[in-house]
Amino acid sequence: MSHGDEVAEIPSGFRVVARSSDCAHAAVEYPEKKIFGVQFHPEVTHTPRGMDILNNFIRTCSPSSWTMKDYLETLTNEIPQQVKDNKVFILVSGGVDSTVAFTLLDMILGKERVYGLLIDNGLMRTGEVEETNKALRALGLDNLHVEDASRIFLDRLKDIYEPEQKRKIIGQTFIEVKDMVAERLNLASADWLLGQGTIYPDTIETGGTKHASVIKTHHNRIDLIAEMIKNGKVVEPLKDLYKDEVRALGTLLNLPSHLLLRHPFPGPGLGVRILCCNSANPVPNEEEVLSKIEKLIALDRKVKARVLPIKSVGVQGDHRTYRHAAALFLDSLEQLEDETFYDHLVSIPNRISEINRVVVSIAHMSRNVNSSEVDQDKRIVNFDKMCVTPSYITEERVKLLQAADEIVTRVIREENLYDEIWQFPVALLPIGYSAGGQSIVLRPVDSKEAMTATAHKLSKAVLKKITDQILNLNGVHFLFIDLTSKPPGTIEWE
């Protein structure tokens, strides 16, 4: 219960059956009318015994049984009815969702009625396109075309700074490239439908359900696609499933575990992990915010705090927020091992309305920084020199983030942590000690269905291994680790 809003008064006839330190009416019931209510999310992984609550509710309702095998049978009957005599041109990325969707449509409709398109948008991870092409063909999915459209995407993202605008441009360009390729391959006739690996959280976060607010527009939910859906031109076999259910369906389809357990990767690629801005955006009342932080976590002289002069996307009160991140500069990483101190850090976005994310600097001493910009006596940063460089997505910034992401992936594989961590985004911020400097943010998270998440705690040894290599990248001034839970922060920064 970290949204910051609550039902303060309950109706007549109801009684409170659960409360917490944050919520006086966490759960209520009206047994005579068999009405039950909760002010939290029992369906998400991070709610203790949440599934017990739902199972008790199901027993009260006595519904028919449901299994993934039943759902697969339903899809096997429904998809041919939806597609009719048409064919499906499906966009694939190599991620879990699109791989399962491609495999499913190929199995149900047959190769002659399904064709895959893998678009290189210039925002993929290092070697991603080649590896995806090879993996899909190894599954027998050779009804596939690979299109290098990286120059088109990068040109259209020039001088674009606002996150929602970036997402919409990327989504629109995917469709335009798809249409261009379809025309060239003679797949542009009216009997070809668009296939997508959209899952339920994509729809929720784009405000696509009756009571949902827009958290962020997913590339597969731009206005053009919404109109195509309305006209029956889109096939989305996974649209009602969460990520863990998609993996369960993939298991039924006999897909190999190394594909099903791949870390989720956003459809827009690194485009939503490269933060852009045309000017610094400091919090107006920084001294007041810093004072609140100090009171909350009892900062001493060994800890310094700043509010980063750039915003990121979050979700608070079931609505999108676009607010600042609090950055803590510790004297030693051992301080993170103090559970009370760590809990205070994590609570900052829930307690201070101007903040929706908290990060800790794990390396603010880089060989890429001039010695004059660092207080040599205290060996800590002169924070007054932190500055933002106006930046949009460029090939150079993409390459820098690709290099940092490759380091992280290699290290967690070497340390046998890849399967333990649910997802490990790496973000790039246009913040440094001086003009042109960049910051890398590590965002390892534990989750199951992506609706909630908590930061995964990395050991000091792993952090040092990552730090030593990333600080060798030219231009990196700061290296942060994101401790924010979802909510209030989204998993991705944009």
Side-chain angles (χ1 to χ4, degrees):
M1 290 174 283
S2 57
H3 292 320
D5 57 358
E6 65 174 289
V7 176
E9 185 176 342
I10 61 174
S12 175
F14 283 82
R15 68 185 183 93
V16 178
V17 293
R19 59 176 52 87
S20 76
S21 58
D22 296 316
C23 183
H25 311 122
V28 298
E29 68 175 6
Y30 197 142
E32 293 78 14
K33 292 187 176 182
K34 289 191 174 182
I35 300 175
F36 307 90
V38 295
Q39 270 196 98
F40 55 91
H41 291 280
E43 78 280 8
V44 300
T45 308
H46 295 93
T47 299
R49 303 194 67 183
M51 293 309 296
D52 290 342
I53 295 172
L54 293 178
N55 285 331
N56 289 337
F57 178 74
I58 288 170
R59 280 194 291 271
T60 301
C61 300
S62 301
S64 302
S65 62
W66 184 94
T67 66
M68 187 56 69
K69 188 175 181 180
D70 296 332
Y71 189 70
L72 176 56
E73 185 176 333
T74 299
L75 289 176
T76 302
N77 294 325
E78 286 184 350
I79 288 174
Q81 294 175 23
Q82 179 188 0
V83 175
K84 298 185 175 64
D85 295 328
N86 297 308
K87 304 169 186 176
V88 181
F89 196 16
I90 181 169
L91 297 175
V92 297
S93 65
V96 177
D97 305 330
S98 66
T99 299
V100 172
F102 191 11
T103 303
L104 181 68
L105 292 172
D106 184 83
M107 179 192 78
I108 294 173
L109 300 175
K111 289 187 185 300
E112 67 282 357
R113 299 180 61 196
V114 179
Y115 199 79
L117 174 62
L118 171 60
I119 298 174
D120 181 357
N121 62 359
L123 303 168
M124 307 287 271
R125 291 172 290 201
T126 302
E128 185 93 12
V129 174
E130 296 78 9
E131 291 174 12
T132 297
N133 186 21
K134 183 179 178 181
L136 291 175
R137 293 184 187 282
L139 294 174
L141 298 171
D142 50 6
N143 43 337
L144 174 70
H145 176 80
V146 180
E147 181 74 13
D148 183 358
S150 53
R151 193 70 266 157
I152 297 174
F153 280 85
L154 290 174
D155 286 346
R156 292 188 179 183
L157 291 169
K158 183 179 180 181
D159 296 324
I160 302 299
Y161 305 98
E162 204 273 325
E164 276 290 285
Q165 190 179 5
K166 280 199 302 181
R167 283 179 169 274
K168 290 178 179 179
I169 288 173
I170 291 170
Q172 181 75 27
T173 305
F174 267 123
I175 297 302
E176 292 180 15
V177 171
K178 185 270 296 182
D179 290 343
M180 177 185 71
V181 173
E183 190 74 36
R184 191 193 320 142
L185 299 179
N186 298 316
L187 304 176
S189 57
D191 61 344
W192 281 92
L193 307 180
L194 173 66
Q196 296 193 132
T198 309
I199 63 174
Y200 193 54
D202 298 346
T203 305
I204 295 175
E205 292 186 332
T206 311
T209 60
K210 183 178 180 181
H211 300 293
S213 296
V214 176
I215 305 303
K216 53 189 176 184
T217 299
H218 285 257
H219 72 290
N220 49 24
R221 277 293 178 268
I222 60 171
D223 292 343
L224 176 60
I225 291 179
E227 187 64 27
M228 292 173 66
I229 291 172
K230 190 184 299 183
N231 294 328
K233 296 294 185 181
V234 180
V235 181
E236 296 177 317
L238 312 179
K239 66 181 183 300
D240 296 322
L241 301 180
Y242 289 96
K243 181 71 71 175
D244 55 324
E245 294 171 325
V246 173
R247 286 177 166 142
L249 179 58
T251 300
L252 276 182
L253 297 174
N254 296 316
L255 291 177
S257 60
H258 73 272
L259 291 180
L260 293 177
L261 297 178
R262 289 191 70 190
H263 285 188
F265 188 63
L270 300 178
V272 295
R273 295 180 179 175
I274 299 175
L275 272 67
C276 305
C277 64
N278 54 8
S279 64
N281 191 351
V283 65
N285 53 336
E286 182 171 6
E287 291 304 318
E288 180 183 338
V289 174
L290 291 177
S291 176
K292 292 178 183 178
I293 294 174
E294 289 176 4
K295 290 178 181 176
L296 183 61
I297 64 174
L299 291 180
D300 60 25
R301 61 184 179 83
K302 294 183 179 180
V303 181
K304 292 189 178 292
R306 283 292 303 269
V307 179
L308 295 184
I310 193 168
K311 292 183 178 181
S312 75
V313 174
V315 52
Q316 291 169 293
D318 287 329
H319 296 275
R320 177 177 66 183
T321 62
Y322 195 48
R323 297 176 183 166
H324 293 83
L328 281 297
F329 296 82
L330 310 183
D331 187 56
S332 168
L333 289 180
E334 277 81 359
Q335 289 170 282
L336 291 179
E337 296 175 2
D338 182 329
E339 291 293 334
T340 301
F341 180 69
Y342 186 92
D343 289 343
H344 283 322
L345 294 184
V346 173
S347 73
I348 289 174
N350 294 328
R351 306 293 183 184
I352 302 175
S353 61
E354 296 89 347
I355 300 296
N356 66 3
R357 199 175 291 273
V358 59
V359 299
V360 168
S361 174
I362 55 175
H364 39 277
M365 301 298 296
S366 169
R367 66 187 66 185
N368 296 313
V369 181
N370 295 329
S371 58
S372 61
E373 295 170 348
V374 178
D375 186 326
Q376 295 298 314
D377 294 329
K378 297 181 181 178
R379 298 304 296 167
I380 56 176
V381 177
N382 180 348
F383 299 117
D384 292 335
K385 290 183 176 288
M386 182 185 291
C387 70
V388 172
T389 299
S391 306
Y392 52 85
I393 294 178
T394 63
E395 190 171 356
E396 292 71 27
R397 296 189 79 204
V398 172
K399 287 181 178 177
L400 178 57
L401 184 54
Q402 284 175 331
D405 180 88
E406 187 177 12
I407 288 169
V408 168
T409 301
R410 183 174 61 250
V411 169
I412 63 174
R413 286 193 183 280
E414 290 172 352
E415 299 294 326
N416 296 317
L417 293 174
Y418 187 89
D419 292 338
E420 181 179 321
I421 299 169
W422 191 78
Q423 187 180 8
F424 202 143
V426 181
L428 184 71
L429 316 184
I431 296 175
Y433 297 108
S434 55
Q438 302 285 306
S439 295
I440 295 291
V441 180
L442 309 179
R443 177 67 166 139
V445 296
D446 295 324
S447 185
K448 188 175 182 182
E449 74 300 281
M451 295 304 293
T452 60
T454 54
H456 182 92
K457 294 183 180 181
L458 298 171
S459 70
K460 282 195 306 178
V462 171
L463 283 175
K464 185 178 186 308
K465 194 171 182 180
I466 291 174
T467 300
D468 289 346
Q469 295 181 53
I470 286 182
L471 289 186
N472 278 325
L473 300 176
N474 187 41
V476 176
H477 287 194
F478 289 107
L479 178 58
F480 296 104
I481 186 162
D482 190 341
L483 306 183
T484 317
S485 298
K486 178 186 179 181
T490 50
I491 294 176
E492 303 288 351
W493 272 57
E494 287 189 342

